[in-house]
Amino acid sequence: MKSSKKVLLFSLALLLLVVTGWSGWTGSAAAAPDSGKTYVIGTDITFAPFEFQDVSGKFVGIDMDLMEAIAKDQNFKYEIKPLGFNAAVQALESNQVDGVIAGMSITDERKQKFDFSESYFESGVVMAISKNNDTIKSYEDLKGKKVAVKTGTEGYSFAESIASKYGFTIVPFDDSSQMYDDVKTGNSVACFDDYPVLAYGVNQNNGLKIVTEKEAGGSYGFAVSKGKNQELMQKFNTGLTNLKASGEYDQILEKYLGENASGPANQSRWGLIQDSLPPLLTGLGKTLLYTIVSLFFAFILGLIFGFMKVSRNKFLRGLATVFVDVFRGIPLIVLAFFIYFGIPQAFGFTMPLFLAAILTLTLNAGAYVTEIIRGGIQSIDRGQMEAARSLGLPYRKAMMKIIIPQAIRVMIPAFINQLVITLKDTSILSAIGLVELTQSGKIIIARTFSSFDIWLVVAIMYLIVITILTKLSGFLEGRLRRG
């Protein structure tokens, strides 16, 4: 037990060191020359033209340009944390970020939890259909059909308010690009979204066309938690007023929504793939990093709880069983939400995204590694342990010299399989804003609307890595059998 405690303390200390070194991977900073506090601002970078990432990797759009201009005007520093809309709102609730700017509509319900700035944009809702569809022309044509909407948006609220009247079914999505793809593939016949977002997408050849007049919509505002960060709120409002007075506000809107706004890039399919490879390879690198670091700690947990599961002590066996049942029984995405949003909100502290991701993957994989180690040890015939003990070997020495070496041969293929599973599981953590390979693909699609090409490249990258790992598993298994 003393050695187990030492291993656990060592692993926790190492985890803390790793997190300290990498916890800065949360976004890109835009700084003004000020030595004061740096505010962390959550956003959704898949909501063009308000926030998206350009080819160079810079966060751009109406919201991003406004934030940069206001920070410069008011002389404060900020850091953008790309999370996705739903994750950004939850991060604000749990005080993981200081504010959110993400095309967020000001509603009475949201005012119960957040303080909003003065409106910086007056929106409105329109309906769009596939550009090849000539049958849907009004709300009456939606009866008995499915309509795609993005959760948390004005379009979702509007669609919900008229769904029963016109008899259509709502299909919710987290990203605008997914919603548009659902319409283009014919699974949904139409979608509702904020006018500037849809108009920008149509201008970028997203495959849709707008068929209704703009409905009265809500106002967009910058949000902070209720009663908190009032200094930041005051700076935002003052800066916004100054930008409107100087004309810079109108210049920002004109840049993205005016007649001279940039249209779709005249780019070949191969050119798009070439431009997309650097951020996708960066995302793949982060995926491998999260996988390797989390499996390192999962292996330590697995060793501790695996030996506890084959222990002769009933209490230790019970404790290990509870660990395995809990972390195998909770879906990974629920565990991620609980660790990143739930725990910090309950105890009033901020958790780095990298730490939340590593903890989630480590606890999930650790439960499975525990069972791999238990199964490997128990697969060795009991007679070998009895024979060793009868020859006078202590229990621990018999385990280390006779049982464990044989069990490792059984365990290695299962370890490689767990490595593959954990690598793929990192994609689920894009739901809390982790920018790995899958999230990198979503960010590119939000700008280019080229779902087929980008998802094909992402799938091939996953396939190559997983095939290499599978071949490695087969090679090691063969070597062990021959040995």
Side-chain angles (χ1 to χ4, degrees):
M1 283 302 293
K2 288 183 179 179
S3 61
S4 296
K5 288 181 179 178
K6 289 180 180 178
V7 171
L8 181 58
L9 289 172
F10 171 76
S11 64
L12 290 173
L14 190 57
L15 175 59
L16 189 59
L17 287 173
V18 171
V19 169
T20 304
W22 291 96
S23 61
W25 285 27
T26 54
S28 65
D34 175 54
S35 59
K37 176 183 178 182
T38 297
Y39 297 101
V40 179
I41 309 299
T43 192
D44 170 15
I45 54 173
T46 62
F47 195 59
F50 287 93
E51 46 266 337
F52 59 101
Q53 196 173 46
D54 65 14
V55 178
S56 67
K58 182 182 178 183
F59 299 148
V60 297
I62 294 172
D63 287 357
M64 298 296 96
D65 287 8
L66 278 177
M67 199 72 217
E68 183 177 4
I70 290 171
K72 184 178 179 181
D73 182 82
Q74 293 296 299
N75 193 33
F76 66 86
K77 298 177 182 178
Y78 71 98
E79 178 185 342
I80 291 296
K81 202 168 189 179
L83 296 170
F85 183 80
N86 291 330
V89 173
Q90 291 183 67
L92 187 58
E93 285 185 272
S94 57
N95 298 314
Q96 295 286 70
V97 296
D98 298 307
V100 166
I101 185 165
M104 190 173 180
S105 299
I106 303 172
T107 65
D108 291 336
E109 184 180 9
R110 287 174 179 162
K111 285 181 179 179
Q112 302 300 314
K113 295 182 178 180
F114 310 121
D115 288 330
F116 283 94
S117 67
E118 299 296 326
S119 170
Y120 66 83
F121 191 86
E122 299 299 323
S123 185
V125 178
V126 291
M127 182 176 79
I129 61 175
S130 171
K131 64 181 181 181
N132 300 319
N133 186 342
D134 296 322
T135 59
I136 306 296
K137 298 177 180 178
S138 65
Y139 304 148
E140 286 78 5
D141 299 325
L142 299 176
K143 187 173 183 180
K145 296 180 171 61
K146 292 189 292 185
V147 172
V149 290
K150 181 180 176 180
T151 56
T153 62
E154 195 71 28
Y156 185 100
S157 300
F158 178 75
E160 198 173 36
S161 69
I162 65 169
S164 58
K165 178 179 179 180
Y166 294 102
F168 60 83
T169 302
I170 291 176
V171 182
F173 292 91
D174 287 332
D175 295 317
S176 295
S177 58
Q178 294 173 351
M179 173 176 66
Y180 301 157
D181 287 340
D182 199 58
V183 175
K184 287 188 287 185
T185 57
N187 293 322
S188 296
V189 296
C191 65
F192 288 98
D193 208 350
D194 296 2
Y195 171 75
V197 178
L198 263 176
Y200 180 85
V202 170
N203 186 47
Q204 299 293 317
N205 289 336
N206 67 351
L208 304 181
K209 61 183 178 182
I210 297 172
V211 293
T212 61
E213 295 295 323
K214 183 172 70 172
E215 299 282 351
S219 302
Y220 290 170
F222 174 74
V224 298
S225 292
K226 197 75 175 176
K228 296 184 178 181
N229 287 307
Q230 294 305 301
E231 182 184 11
L232 173 61
M233 179 62 72
Q234 184 178 357
K235 288 179 178 180
F236 186 93
N237 283 329
T238 303
L240 180 62
T241 300
N242 293 343
L243 292 186
K244 289 182 176 180
S246 68
E248 189 174 355
Y249 171 84
D250 293 327
Q251 292 173 12
I252 291 173
L253 294 188
E254 181 69 21
K255 177 180 176 182
Y256 295 98
L257 301 176
E259 294 181 359
N260 296 322
S262 59
N266 187 15
Q267 191 176 37
S268 66
R269 175 170 287 180
W270 177 240
L272 170 65
I273 292 173
Q274 283 183 309
D275 287 343
S276 302
L277 276 178
L280 289 177
L281 287 172
T282 300
L284 177 61
K286 291 182 179 180
T287 292
L288 292 172
L289 173 68
Y290 302 138
T291 302
I292 292 168
V293 173
S294 61
L295 277 180
F296 172 78
F297 293 109
F299 183 73
I300 293 173
L301 284 180
L303 280 175
I304 295 170
F305 287 102
F307 281 112
M308 288 168 62
K309 284 213 76 172
V310 296
S311 168
R312 290 170 292 181
N313 186 303
K314 288 185 178 180
F315 174 76
L316 293 180
R317 289 202 307 272
L319 191 62
T321 299
V322 169
F323 171 77
V324 170
D325 290 346
V326 167
F327 292 108
R328 284 204 311 181
I330 300 175
L332 188 66
I333 192 169
V334 175
L335 182 60
F337 283 141
F338 177 73
I339 290 175
Y340 189 52
F341 299 126
I343 293 176
Q345 185 176 22
F347 295 99
F349 69 94
T350 300
M351 179 179 291
L353 179 58
F354 182 84
L355 174 58
I358 293 300
L359 282 175
T360 301
L361 292 171
T362 295
L363 292 171
N364 179 264
Y368 287 95
V369 172
T370 297
E371 285 298 287
I372 291 171
I373 292 174
R374 178 202 59 79
I377 292 172
Q378 292 184 342
S379 69
I380 307 304
D381 190 275
R382 282 189 178 183
Q384 298 199 35
M385 173 61 79
E386 293 170 358
R389 297 303 302 279
S390 67
L391 292 173
L393 283 176
Y395 177 82
R396 179 174 296 187
K397 194 167 186 178
M399 285 289 291
M400 298 303 297
K401 296 292 186 179
I402 297 174
I403 303 301
I404 298 299
Q406 296 180 75
I408 288 175
R409 297 186 179 188
V410 178
M411 289 185 249
I412 281 183
F415 282 142
I416 299 294
N417 185 57
Q418 185 58 47
L419 173 61
V420 171
I421 291 171
T422 303
L423 187 144
K424 291 191 288 186
D425 281 348
T426 58
S427 63
I428 297 175
L429 299 186
S430 63
I432 62 171
L434 190 70
V435 182
E436 38 61 73
L437 180 54
T438 300
Q439 183 74 344
S440 298
K442 289 181 182 179
I443 291 169
I444 295 169
I445 292 169
R447 181 184 74 248
T448 63
F449 301 100
S450 300
S451 297
F452 176 81
D453 297 324
I454 301 303
W455 286 133
L456 178 62
V457 174
V458 170
I460 290 172
M461 293 173 79
Y462 273 118
L463 182 62
I464 290 172
V465 173
I466 290 170
T467 299
I468 292 172
L469 293 174
T470 304
K471 295 296 182 183
L472 176 63
S473 174
F475 172 76
L476 291 174
E477 190 173 4
R479 286 290 299 272
L480 288 170
R481 283 177 178 174
R482 289 194 297 271

